[in-house]
Amino acid sequence: MAFPTATRYLIVGAGIHGLSTAWHLAEELRRAGRGSGQDILVVDKSGIAAGASGIACGVIRNNYFQPAMRKLMAHSVSVWESDPQAFSYHPVGYMQISPEVMHEQVATIAAQQKEIGYESIFVEGEKDSKSYMRSLFEDWQAQGITSVLHEKKGGYANNQASIRGLARKAESAGVRILGGVRVTGFVKDNRGAVKTVTTDQGDIACECVIVGTGPWIKQIWDMLGLPAAITIKGRDGKLHENVPMWTFWSLQEGTLGVDPKLQRTNDGSMPPVLHVDTDATLYSDIDRSLITDRLWGIYYKPDFHFGGVQGGAMPFKVKADPAQVKIDPYGPASPDFVVGEDFARMWCSALAFCQKRFEGKHPQFKREPSGGIGSFTADNFPVFDRFCDNVYVIADSNHGYKMIGVGALVAGEICGRQSELLQPFRFSRFAEGKLHPTSNSPFPWS
Ligand SMILES: Cc1cc2nc3c(=O)[nH]c(=O)nc-3n(C[C@H](O)[C@H](O)[C@H](O)COP(=O)(O)OP(=O)(O)OC[C@H]3O[C@@H](n4cnc5c(N)ncnc54)[C@H](O)[C@@H]3O)c2cc1C
């Protein structure tokens, strides 16, 4: 097929957001009698699932301290549930296991989950938390835990398989997906709207652009002429000037090469995804040396796709100037942003801290490149908004593999139906001081 020179809707990025938007937009246009998938072109500089969506751990949860995030995640979980097979979705549930410093905040999450009808069990107190955990895993031994939030929905999905499932849905709705096409710039009309997208394969005229470029968002943001630094009105009402719009965090993930069935529950079922935060001192499982005496956290799940028990720990902020950070080659191919022996030592010791079955398993950690970087906004929460009149930016601040439903809401907004769920994620929140509450969790994404 010839390279297209025009399309009504041009979507940049074939990850979770680009493809979910493509599929839902195609359905919206058809239902409204306003067009079809043939009006939509997705371009990607590499191909389907080449970015963060293709390497994500794949955890899907509701547990967020921010009410707006929780509502949005509940909507996305319903999209995952709409076709578990196509999305390679495993609805095993999710557990947030926390220390006293997080107890009160997690209690508010549990209360609000009840309000929005998101099924969960909340266990409080050290003794009850331990016996609840032991009713699932008889070898549970984590210290410093005083609450357990057990979400009955959510779980995880297989990264590449789910994105390919989405691509199939978009393509069967008539959408064209073109790999090997890198967007290099935007030509605007005299109103400031984008009329042509320039790529390394040729120019494409379009009526509307949708950007879902994950870790590469800063490059597109700069091409659109949007600000590299912004002013934020803080909670104290003061203006904080010159705050970088984008920062990078390095995600720390890996796999313990054991039989995934090792992590079955007492009754032989596949377990929920576990997320454990604690302020108990962590010592090495190898030589008992101190690893940390500060608040720390890990998450893990058995995963046949990764070939073991896979998960991660707290990410770290990339210190380099965001303009200088080398995103490519991305993910496991990066020479800079893959996990090292420090991560293996910490994560494997933390697994052993939580469950006896992982003691002495550190040598089985898979010494293969893993992890990757994510692009975060100035307040670490997503920006879903329109810019330059006809450009819709989906910048999930690295929260987003689980957010498969955002594409449905964005497609609705493009067709003129404003989404209440997306309102709290507008760019104007920074200047207006309408910031999301922050939690005591050691993770920037909770
Ligand atoms: C190691 C790791 C683990 C994670 N685990 C989880 C998790 O368990 N749960 C969760 O919810 N989230 C997780 N995330 C976050 C999640 O993966 C991302 O938030 C999400 O996948 C971003 O999706 P996206 O569609 O915006 O971008 P991506 O999936 O990154 O897709 C962007 C695409 O844009 C293309 N592109 C970039 N620039 C251009 C250009 N100039 N021209 C054309 N194409 C371009 C890229 O090739 C890429 O394919 C994780 C992230 C990482 C890095």
Side-chain angles (χ1 to χ4, degrees):
M1 260 199 268
F3 185 77
T5 53
T7 183
R8 278 178 71 198
Y9 301 95
L10 180 69
I11 300 183
V12 190
I16 192 98
H17 298 307
L19 294 174
S20 174
T21 307
W23 166 42
H24 286 102
L25 184 57
E27 296 293 330
E28 285 263 354
L29 292 172
R30 184 186 53 76
R31 274 197 300 270
R34 288 169 52 184
S36 73
Q38 287 174 359
D39 297 306
I40 305 168
L41 172 68
V42 180
V43 295
D44 195 291
K45 68 185 179 60
S46 307
I48 294 166
S53 308
I55 61 165
C57 176
V59 174
I60 293 152
R61 67 185 158 105
N62 181 268
N63 171 48
Y64 273 96
F65 181 56
Q66 303 70 29
M69 290 291 276
R70 269 198 306 278
K71 284 189 192 150
L72 193 60
M73 298 316 157
H75 169 266
S76 275
V77 167
S78 68
V79 176
W80 284 106
E81 286 171 343
S82 68
D83 196 343
Q85 205 178 353
F87 301 138
S88 204
Y89 170 55
H90 306 273
V92 290
Y94 174 89
M95 298 180 86
Q96 168 66 47
I97 301 155
S98 316
E100 192 52 25
V101 65
M102 291 171 62
H103 184 160
E104 206 181 305
Q105 292 191 340
V106 182
T108 67
I109 297 175
Q112 286 165 22
Q113 284 181 341
K114 271 207 176 64
E115 273 168 35
I116 63 170
Y118 196 86
E119 193 191 349
S120 63
I121 292 174
F122 188 49
V123 183
E124 295 176 89
E126 192 161 358
K127 199 162 148 262
D128 288 354
S129 296
K130 186 182 271 181
S131 54
Y132 189 81
M133 290 311 297
R134 288 223 168 133
S135 73
L136 289 170
F137 305 99
E138 43 77 25
D139 65 335
W140 185 259
Q141 56 188 14
Q143 302 295 310
I145 302 300
T146 62
S147 73
V148 174
L149 177 66
H150 186 170
E151 297 180 355
K152 294 297 184 159
K153 293 170 162 229
Y156 71 100
N158 300 115
N159 49 28
Q160 294 270 335
S162 55
I163 305 305
R164 288 186 193 287
L166 263 182
R168 277 194 298 278
K169 282 186 187 282
E171 282 175 330
S172 10
V175 173
R176 186 171 172 199
I177 304 172
L178 266 185
V181 180
R182 175 191 295 274
V183 169
T184 52
F186 298 93
V187 181
K188 296 181 187 166
D189 63 17
N190 49 17
R191 291 175 308 125
V194 169
K195 58 176 187 174
T196 305
V197 174
T198 58
T199 82
D200 59 357
Q201 304 297 314
D203 292 353
I204 308 171
C206 61
E207 292 171 21
C208 174
V209 182
I210 297 121
V211 176
T213 52
W216 293 269
I217 180 61
K218 180 174 162 36
Q219 295 174 358
I220 299 286
W221 186 264
D222 293 348
M223 287 177 208
L224 286 166
L226 296 170
I230 58 169
T231 299
I232 301 183
K233 188 174 181 185
R235 272 173 247 290
D236 51 4
K238 288 192 187 132
L239 295 182
H240 302 263
E241 282 169 17
N242 224 12
V243 181
M245 180 58 204
W246 304 107
T247 55
F248 291 93
W249 289 68
S250 178
L251 279 90
Q252 305 290 290
E253 291 194 349
T255 304
L256 191 66
V258 293
D259 181 347
K261 292 190 201 124
L262 177 71
Q263 178 56 356
R264 283 207 251 209
T265 57
N266 296 343
D267 67 3
S269 321
M270 291 316 275
V273 175
L274 301 190
H275 182 116
V276 186
D277 294 312
T278 178
D279 44 16
T281 306
L282 181 64
Y283 295 98
S284 159
D285 182 43
I286 310 157
D287 57 14
R288 308 309 301 159
S289 57
L290 175 74
I291 293 183
T292 181
D293 54 5
R294 296 186 168 182
L295 187 64
W296 56 269
I298 59 162
Y299 47 96
Y300 58 102
K301 60 174 168 29
D303 194 320
F304 291 91
H305 161 76
F306 280 99
V309 168
Q310 188 266 351
M314 300 93 69
F316 65 81
K317 200 168 186 166
V318 176
K319 289 204 184 87
D321 173 356
Q324 306 302 325
V325 172
K326 283 205 181 89
I327 308 171
D328 288 303
Y330 186 66
S334 165
D336 306 315
F337 303 115
V338 289
V339 299
E341 197 45 44
D342 279 1
F343 168 77
R345 175 170 168 263
M346 182 271 166
W347 189 67
C348 294
S349 300
L351 288 175
F353 170 96
C354 294
Q355 292 183 255
K356 196 166 179 55
R357 71 192 72 180
F358 296 118
E359 286 180 1
K361 293 281 193 285
H362 174 254
Q364 281 162 264
F365 181 79
K366 288 194 177 187
R367 272 140 182 109
E368 58 193 15
S370 58
I373 53 171
S375 181
F376 288 68
T377 65
D379 67 354
N380 294 334
F381 292 105
V383 168
F384 305 126
D385 211 344
R386 233 178 251 272
F387 297 87
C388 313
D389 192 47
N390 64 345
V391 179
Y392 204 112
V393 171
I394 307 176
D396 69 15
S397 199
N398 203 68
H399 292 269
Y401 174 81
K402 64 182 81 62
M403 294 159 82
I404 195 171
V406 164
L409 302 171
V410 168
E413 291 209 326
I414 287 169
C415 293
R417 218 178 39 255
Q418 289 303 295
S419 158
E420 218 179 285
L421 293 177
L422 296 183
Q423 286 305 322
F425 301 101
R426 304 303 189 208
F427 180 63
S428 59
R429 74 171 181 273
F430 296 117
E432 291 167 358
K434 291 186 181 158
L435 303 178
H436 296 275
T438 50
S439 78
N440 291 338
S441 150
F443 290 80
W445 56 68
S446 283

